[in-house]
């Protein structure tokens, strides 16, 4: 029953996506231009990379609101290293390590204190951002080596942005991980009932740390792409991303109470939001006004989901207790 | 459990006193009148917001939209004072509270009637309301000379040398104190937060409670919005952005459990005082303002660690105890 309902959600997302494409094509003649569409992926690839592990976290009943701060911390430390003359592979490795460490720290604290991850990550949100801000202050880092721009600005075979290719590969890996492996089944089990999962032999605490560390790793990866694309790091880098990432995940049909959600749904939501914001930017809607549409879409999506459940439970099955 | 709460508040008071003593020893100029007045008004703003958040947190919810409601109300009233300069301060106070109340009711309806998880509903309204400020103002700043004198006079004024914001905060705290401790609906809020299922069986009206707490939270934010815009004599789209984390930090430090059912008005007020004093003390200790965010983050983590026992998630020990474990972890 649950599986059927989820399938329904993805079908609904698919039609919404089609609707957005038609609407945008009708609003602006420049929307269906191949080069424009390719370039539009730059606006969401990095956030979408973080949405993947976030989906796993939320499925496992956890959440990490410190992701944007981890991105900022990684980017700033890369800036410092670049000023000290680090080479491109060292920079990338540094970012991935810092991200993983920051994520693992979140997971360890959540485990050690046994409190809900939103409280812990609100704390580390301020902590990581604060450390980043106190390093970069009101200046900026722009001294990245020449080859560094490859990650965020290069097109493979003249058409495909490196960023987008990395995102597609990551999506495939996460899809396989969640939907075909034992690890994926265990993540669902933890999210459905952590106690039952523990008593049936799933090492819940270890999975929790691993998922937070994975989220941190992907934040490190996103930081590499972002710093490379902007080739400049300031204190307000990646602000507000946590909300956009969570919006992508929740709009993708991942249940905020845990235990349900698919990578396909998240992918559809990523493209839905990405193409909607791109289309709106073509007709000169300012960014902050776009947020109104995205916020409304988030609330409408959950309302629809609730409505569908209500109809199914109360109207379609007469023998069910109400 | 109940006996633990005064203890916690006593400890927090001692910590606050200790911090103040340390700061004064290091920098006696911390005690100059203008700084004390700044601390009192800073505490006032935070305390009003925290009172609203307290009610929401007790019901296992969370209201992330407070800072947006604050900025929206401030902007709307600043524009209103521009077009209707004759309005008295009392009208602004009432309008601000009502406006916040209505915005809060939207949150309440989304949570209680539609059934959207609080963190998602208020995340959504937070973004939407912030965007609406931009639409309302066209991105412009409303600065001091564009506001009417009546608009600025009350929030920027003082009574016996103490900023009006402080007195308003005292009144708000008194109202919440009476409501939460001596009114039936207040006790219902705690009952609902401790165990929604049991409370429902005991006849506590779920929808009415949730509508009420989000409305109160919005009303507090709205009231604050007017005082904020008036005192700082500025209204802009990004006003108080990011302040929601300081509000939640104050609550956590004040011993309010994010998993519901637990938290006192006194604790919340002390939590707000803690944040207000730490924020104002940093410059006097020659700590870079850029480090402020990091310090607040570290303080939140310490407070969470100190409160860990009461914050511990329900349902972790299902075998030894025979308790209902259906409480959803949000």
């Amino acid at each position: 029953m649950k599986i059927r309902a989820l399938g329904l959600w993805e079908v609904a997302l698919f039609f919404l996506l089609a609707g957005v494409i038609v609407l945008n094509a009708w609003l602006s003649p420049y929307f269906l231009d191949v080069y424009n569409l390719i370039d539009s992926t730059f606006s969401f690839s990095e956030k979408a990379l973080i949405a993947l592990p976030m989906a796993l976290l939320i499925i496992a009943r956890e959440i990490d609101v410190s992701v944007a701060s981890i991105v900022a911390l990684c980017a700033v430390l890369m800036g410092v290293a670049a000023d000290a003359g680090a080479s491109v592979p060292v920079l990338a490795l540094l970012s991935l390590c810092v991200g993983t460490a920051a994520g693992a720290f979140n997971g360890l604290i959540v485990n050690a204190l046994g409190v809900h991850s939103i409280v812990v990550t609100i704390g580390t949100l301020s902590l990581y951002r604060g450390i980043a801000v106190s390093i970069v202050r009101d200046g900026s880092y722009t001294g990245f080596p020449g080859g560094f721009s490859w990650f965020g600005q290069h097109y493979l075979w003249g058409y495909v942005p490196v960023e987008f290719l990395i995102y597609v590969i990551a999506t495939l890996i996460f899809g396989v991980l969640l939907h075909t492996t034992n690890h994926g089944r265990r993540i669902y089990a933890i999210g459905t009932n952590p106690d039952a999962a523990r008593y049936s032999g799933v090492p819940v605490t270890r999975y929790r740390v691993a998922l937070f560390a994975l989220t941190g790793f992907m934040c490190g990866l996103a930081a590499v792409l972002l710093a490379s694309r902007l080739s400049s790091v300031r204190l307000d880098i990646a602000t507000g991303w946590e909300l956009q990432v969570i919006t992508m995940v929740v709009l993708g049909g991942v249940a905020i109470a845990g235990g349900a959600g698919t990578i396909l749904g998240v992918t559809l939501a990523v493209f839905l939001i990405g193409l909607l914001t791109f289309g709106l930017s073509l007709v000169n809607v300012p960014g902050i006004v776009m947020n109104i549409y995205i916020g409304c879409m988030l609330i409408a999506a959950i309302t629809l989901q609730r409505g569908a459940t209500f109809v199914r439970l109360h109207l379609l099955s007469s023998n069910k207790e109400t | 459990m109940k006996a633990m709460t005064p203890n916690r508040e006593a400890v927090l008071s001692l910590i606050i006193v200790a911090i103040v003593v340390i700061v004064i020893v290091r920098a006696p100029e911390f005690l100059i009148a203008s700084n004390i007045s700044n601390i009192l008004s800073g505490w006032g703003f935070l305390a009003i917001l925290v009172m609203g958040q307290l009610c929401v947190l007790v019901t296992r919810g969370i209201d992330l939209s407070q800072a947006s409601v604050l900025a929206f109300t401030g902007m709307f009233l600043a524009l209103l004072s521009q077009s209707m300069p004759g309005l008295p301060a009392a009208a602004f106070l009432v309008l601000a509270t009502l406006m916040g109340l209505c915005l809060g009711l939207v949150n309440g309806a989304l949570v209680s009637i539609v059934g959207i998880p609080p963190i998602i509903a208020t995340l959504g309204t937070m973004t939407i309301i912030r965007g609406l400020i931009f639409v309302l103002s066209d991105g412009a700043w409303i600065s001091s000379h564009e506001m009417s004198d009546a608009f600025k006079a009350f929030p920027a004024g003082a009574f016996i040398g103490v900023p009006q914001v402080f007195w308003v905060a005292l009144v708000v705290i008194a109202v919440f104190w009476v409501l939460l401790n001596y009114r039936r609906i207040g006790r219902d809020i705690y009952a609902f937060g401790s165990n929604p299922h049991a409370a429902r069986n005991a006849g506590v009206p779920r929808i009415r409670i949730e509508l009420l707490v989000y409305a109160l939270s919005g009303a507090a934010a709205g009231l604050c919005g007017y005082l904020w815009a008036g005192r700082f004599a500025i209204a802009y789209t990004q006003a108080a952005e990011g302040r929601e984390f300081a509000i939640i930090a104050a609550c956590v430090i004040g011993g309010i459990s994010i998993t519901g059912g637990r938290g006192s008005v006194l604790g919340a007020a002390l939590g707000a005082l803690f944040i207000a004093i730490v924020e104002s003390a940093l410059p006097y200790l020659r700590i870079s303002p850029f480090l402020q965010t990091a310090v607040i983050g570290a303080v939140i983590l310490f407070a969470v660690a100190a409160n860990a026992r009461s914050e511990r998630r329900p349902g972790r020990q299902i075998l030894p105890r025979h308790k209902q474990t259906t409480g959803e972890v949000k």
Side-chain angles (χ1 to χ4, degrees):
Chain A
M1 188 147 175
K2 207 165 219 172
I3 296 197
R4 228 191 313 150
L6 282 170
L8 204 81
W9 183 246
E10 276 124 29
V11 173
L13 274 180
F14 190 79
F15 279 111
L16 260 176
L17 185 59
V20 163
I21 291 173
V22 170
L23 183 73
N24 277 330
W26 177 67
L27 279 176
S28 166
Y30 306 108
F31 180 78
L32 285 180
D33 181 83
V34 178
Y35 290 98
N36 271 347
L37 281 178
I38 286 172
D39 278 354
S40 77
T41 63
F42 282 109
S43 65
F44 62 81
S45 291
E46 294 132 10
K47 286 170 227 163
L49 273 176
I50 306 173
L52 295 169
M54 183 72 87
L56 303 198
L57 266 184
I58 294 182
I59 289 174
R61 270 203 205 182
E62 303 293 332
I63 194 164
D64 185 350
V65 293
S66 71
V67 283
S69 301
I70 299 182
V71 172
L73 184 61
C74 293
V76 166
L77 290 179
M78 271 194 292
V80 174
D83 273 1
S87 63
V88 174
V90 172
L91 286 179
L93 200 65
L94 173 80
S95 179
L96 295 179
C97 289
V98 170
T100 311
F105 181 71
N106 281 339
L108 289 172
I109 293 198
V110 169
N111 272 339
L113 300 181
V115 299
H116 196 272
S117 43
I118 190 160
V119 197
V120 173
T121 52
I122 281 178
T124 52
L125 177 149
S126 295
L127 183 67
Y128 296 151
R129 172 74 65 181
I131 296 173
V133 166
S134 63
I135 295 173
V136 66
R137 292 171 174 258
D138 48 2
S140 65
Y141 290 106
T142 50
F144 293 105
F148 189 63
S149 61
W150 182 82
F151 295 104
Q153 298 177 15
H154 189 71
Y155 296 83
L156 288 174
W157 313 292
Y159 279 104
V160 186
V162 175
E163 276 201 357
F164 186 64
L165 188 68
I166 291 177
Y167 166 62
V168 170
I169 294 171
T171 305
L172 293 176
I173 294 174
F174 272 83
V176 168
L177 176 75
L178 182 64
H179 296 298
T180 67
T181 66
N182 279 343
H183 299 297
R185 297 315 301 166
R186 287 183 185 148
I187 290 170
Y188 281 112
I190 294 170
T192 313
N193 188 336
D195 298 307
R198 180 186 302 257
Y199 288 121
S200 50
V202 177
V204 176
T205 48
R206 226 180 296 162
Y207 268 90
R208 209 175 272 145
V209 176
L211 286 178
F212 275 104
L214 181 63
T215 308
F217 176 85
M218 296 302 280
C219 291
L221 183 58
V224 173
L225 302 183
L226 180 67
S228 157
R229 179 163 63 88
L230 304 175
S231 41
S232 140
V233 176
R234 290 191 314 156
L235 60 88
D236 61 347
I237 191 167
T239 39
W241 275 27
E242 56 275 326
L243 307 180
Q244 299 177 29
V245 167
I246 293 171
T247 305
M248 284 175 177
V249 173
V250 173
L251 191 63
V254 174
I256 200 82
T262 61
I263 294 293
L264 176 64
V266 174
T267 311
L268 286 170
V270 162
F271 280 98
L272 183 59
I273 292 179
L275 291 180
L276 181 69
T277 46
F278 169 61
L280 290 175
S281 70
L282 278 183
V283 286
N284 292 325
V285 175
I288 189 154
V289 178
M290 260 180 230
N291 288 344
I292 301 182
Y293 294 102
I294 293 175
C296 288
M297 206 158 69
L298 176 68
I299 287 178
I302 314 262
T303 309
L304 272 177
Q305 219 171 3
R306 292 271 153 180
T309 320
F310 182 84
V311 167
R312 210 173 57 233
L313 283 179
H314 294 267
L315 304 179
L316 296 186
S317 52
S318 50
N319 56 346
K320 261 232 148 72
E321 52 168 359
T322 47
Chain B
M1 265 183 189
K2 195 81 179 139
M4 287 292 289
T5 37
N7 200 1
R8 179 201 307 281
E9 281 138 17
V11 171
L12 184 56
S13 313
L14 281 179
I15 295 175
I16 293 174
V17 171
I19 292 177
V20 171
V21 169
I22 293 171
V23 176
I24 292 173
V25 170
R26 292 278 306 274
E29 64 273 24
F30 186 67
L31 277 182
I32 57 169
S34 69
N35 189 48
I36 291 181
S37 152
N38 273 341
I39 294 178
L40 290 180
S41 72
W43 172 79
F45 285 124
L46 202 51
I48 297 172
L49 292 167
V50 161
M51 287 303 130
Q53 189 71 256
L54 162 71
C55 300
V56 176
L57 287 177
V58 165
T59 62
R60 303 190 170 191
I62 191 165
D63 186 355
L64 295 174
S65 70
Q66 273 188 317
S68 297
V69 171
L70 183 158
F72 182 83
T73 316
M75 176 58 81
F76 186 86
L77 292 181
L79 288 170
L80 190 69
S81 87
Q82 203 178 359
S83 55
M84 299 175 72
L87 279 181
F92 287 118
L93 280 173
V94 173
L95 267 178
T97 314
L98 281 181
M99 185 162 210
L101 191 103
C102 293
L103 290 170
L105 274 176
V106 174
N107 282 330
L110 288 174
V111 170
S112 65
I113 299 170
V114 185
I116 303 179
I119 182 168
I120 299 300
T122 56
L123 199 66
T125 50
M126 166 182 139
T127 337
I128 294 170
I129 295 170
R130 188 65 74 180
L132 287 178
I133 308 170
F134 183 88
V135 175
L136 191 67
S137 66
D138 238 348
W141 292 43
I142 307 296
S143 47
S144 184
H145 64 92
E146 291 164 289
M147 299 168 177
S148 72
D149 288 335
F151 181 82
K152 288 176 292 186
F154 178 75
F159 177 66
I160 356 178
V162 178
Q164 295 285 10
V165 179
F166 175 81
W167 300 111
V168 174
L170 282 192
V171 173
V172 170
I173 289 176
V175 169
F176 276 86
W177 171 268
V178 171
L179 179 80
L180 286 177
N181 292 301
Y182 298 105
R183 307 302 303 175
R184 185 195 166 124
I185 190 85
R187 302 318 297 169
D188 280 354
I189 291 176
Y190 280 100
F192 177 76
S194 303
N195 190 333
H197 295 271
R200 207 166 181 182
N201 292 339
V204 173
R206 179 183 69 86
I207 291 187
R208 208 188 303 166
I209 295 268
E210 288 193 324
L211 280 176
L212 175 74
V213 292
Y214 287 95
L216 285 174
S217 173
L223 177 62
C224 233
Y226 163 54
L227 297 174
W228 187 292
R231 181 163 173 83
F232 300 120
I234 183 98
Y236 58 107
T237 307
Q238 277 85 25
E241 202 166 18
R243 207 63 191 143
E244 42 284 278
F245 297 116
I247 300 168
I248 289 163
C251 290
V252 173
I253 291 164
I256 296 158
S257 166
I258 219 128
T259 45
R262 183 191 280 263
S264 68
V265 169
L266 182 61
L270 285 174
L273 183 60
F274 182 94
I275 297 273
I277 286 187
V278 168
E279 281 183 344
S280 67
L282 291 179
Y284 285 93
L285 296 177
R286 304 240 162 70
I287 294 175
S288 146
F290 293 111
L291 258 177
Q292 185 170 315
T293 325
V295 171
I296 298 284
V299 165
I300 297 178
L301 287 181
F302 277 116
V304 172
N307 288 347
R309 197 171 305 192
S310 68
E311 284 281 336
R312 215 164 264 278
R313 283 185 268 195
R316 283 176 74 85
Q317 285 186 305
I318 46 171
L319 290 186
R321 279 186 285 156
H322 297 281
K323 261 181 144 185
Q324 195 176 7
T325 53
T326 46
E328 272 183 5
V329 181
K330 166 186 61 65

